[in-house]
Amino acid sequence: MQIVHSIADLRAILASKGRPAFVPTMGNLHDGHLSLVRAARQHGDIVVASIFVNRLQFLPHEDFDSYPRTWAQDCAKLESEGCDLLFAPREADLYPEPQTFKIQPDAQLADILEGHFRPGFFTGVCTVVMKLFSAVFFASGGGTAVFGKKDYQQLLVIRRMVEQFALPVNIVAGDTARADDGLALSSRNGYLSPDERQQAMALSQALKQLADATRAGQAPLAELEAWAMQSLAAQGWEPDYLTVRLRRDLQPPAEGAQLAGAPLVALGAARLGKTRLIDNLEF
């Protein structure tokens, strides 16, 4: 596996390598990331991963400085999965001057849910992804990028950005990787204490119960969502949202849509101790 740090070196290597299949990450890799690398091998001539902790998507009070950085382990994991090229820019490589030009995503999609509780988050995500796409796909004129469904809203925002800017990038969605007890794998799971780790599967269980109750039409959706929030809070969590939305645009479904079989997704974000976890379930 080759490792490069500058955009110029990355483009020089990719100039003769065909169509890249790209997996952007912030490092501290787990099997969810590695499953995306495995998927990427089916979609390109060369598998490229990136590791970059993007300051632009962290709010001032969030964990940019303490975000886990596990360089040696990450490199070993990527190489064992057959990654061909790792792009690991330093901040000065990707942002050689203050990034005053930024991508402002559609507020209807990006200012709800995660965007409501983390204002500016998706502007930071879109800006860095646009820059990474420019670096990775410049030489080939296009390729494939693989994103996980665990960050469901992010996946939709990136897809919309690609469509709006007519980028020659095919977005492939990888399924959420889970531990045996159902907890979605996340780099932030490492923040959980042993006791919190035992309680952490309650989020995915709450989303499953919400999805089942919604599809069965047990009560109006607003009541079911409120019940799910109260149920999780009673277990010691601080929920930001547990909600059911249309898969296509994350808007609330019309009355009766759940009974008509509309493609829906239950999404949740909640804090357990000092750790904020997110998850979702398509149904």
Side-chain angles (χ1 to χ4, degrees), residues 100-268:
T100 55
F101 282 68
K102 296 178 181 179
I103 301 295
Q104 184 64 50
D106 178 6
Q108 190 173 21
L109 178 60
D111 287 359
I112 60 174
L113 305 174
E114 285 300 285
H116 174 76
F117 288 95
R118 303 179 69 190
F121 171 68
F122 287 116
T123 296
V125 168
C126 289
T127 300
V128 75
V129 169
M130 180 70 86
K131 201 155 194 177
L132 289 170
F133 282 0
S134 173
V136 171
F137 299 115
F138 177 83
S140 66
T144 294
V146 187
F147 289 82
K149 285 186 179 181
K150 196 215 106 183
D151 296 291
Y152 201 90
Q153 188 176 5
Q154 173 178 278
L155 173 65
L156 266 61
V157 168
I158 295 300
R159 276 183 167 158
R160 186 74 59 82
M161 181 182 77
V162 166
E163 293 168 359
Q164 289 265 313
F165 285 99
L167 302 179
V169 180
N170 176 43
I171 302 297
V172 170
D175 289 333
T176 301
R178 298 185 179 275
D180 290 341
D181 62 2
L183 177 66
L185 298 187
S186 167
S187 296
R188 290 188 169 95
N189 289 352
Y191 295 158
L192 297 168
S193 70
D195 286 344
E196 289 168 345
R197 177 60 187 84
Q198 293 300 312
Q199 302 172 55
M201 73 286 293
L203 178 58
S204 62
Q205 292 171 348
L207 291 174
K208 176 67 163 57
Q209 292 166 357
L210 175 58
D212 290 345
T214 299
R215 196 59 92 185
Q218 292 181 4
L221 183 55
E223 292 182 17
L224 296 177
E225 292 173 339
W227 166 80
M229 293 270 286
Q230 293 163 5
S231 176
L232 200 60
Q235 299 176 63
W237 292 68
E238 297 178 22
D240 285 340
Y241 58 85
L242 281 88
T243 187
V244 171
R245 300 296 174 98
L246 295 168
R247 289 188 211 173
R248 67 174 182 267
D249 57 10
L250 299 186
Q251 296 303 303
E255 189 69 30
Q258 67 270 31
L259 300 178
L264 302 174
V265 57
L267 306 107

Side-chain angles (χ1 to χ4, degrees), residues 80-92:
S80 71
E81 290 296 342
C83 179
D84 300 303
L85 180 60
L86 171 59
F87 179 44
R90 296 163 291 250
E91 197 157 15

Side-chain angles (χ1 to χ4, degrees), residues 69-84:
R69 293 158 170 87
T70 52
W71 171 254
Q73 299 95 311
D74 291 348
C75 289
K77 289 176 181 179
L78 287 172
E79 190 158 23
S80 71
E81 290 296 342
C83 179
D84 300 303

Side-chain angles (χ1 to χ4, degrees), residues 1-4 13 17 46-47 49 79 83-87:
M1 182 178 72
Q2 290 181 274
I3 301 174
V4 296
I13 291 172
K17 298 296 185 181
I46 179 171
V47 175
E79 190 158 23
C83 179
D84 300 303
L85 180 60
L86 171 59
F87 179 44

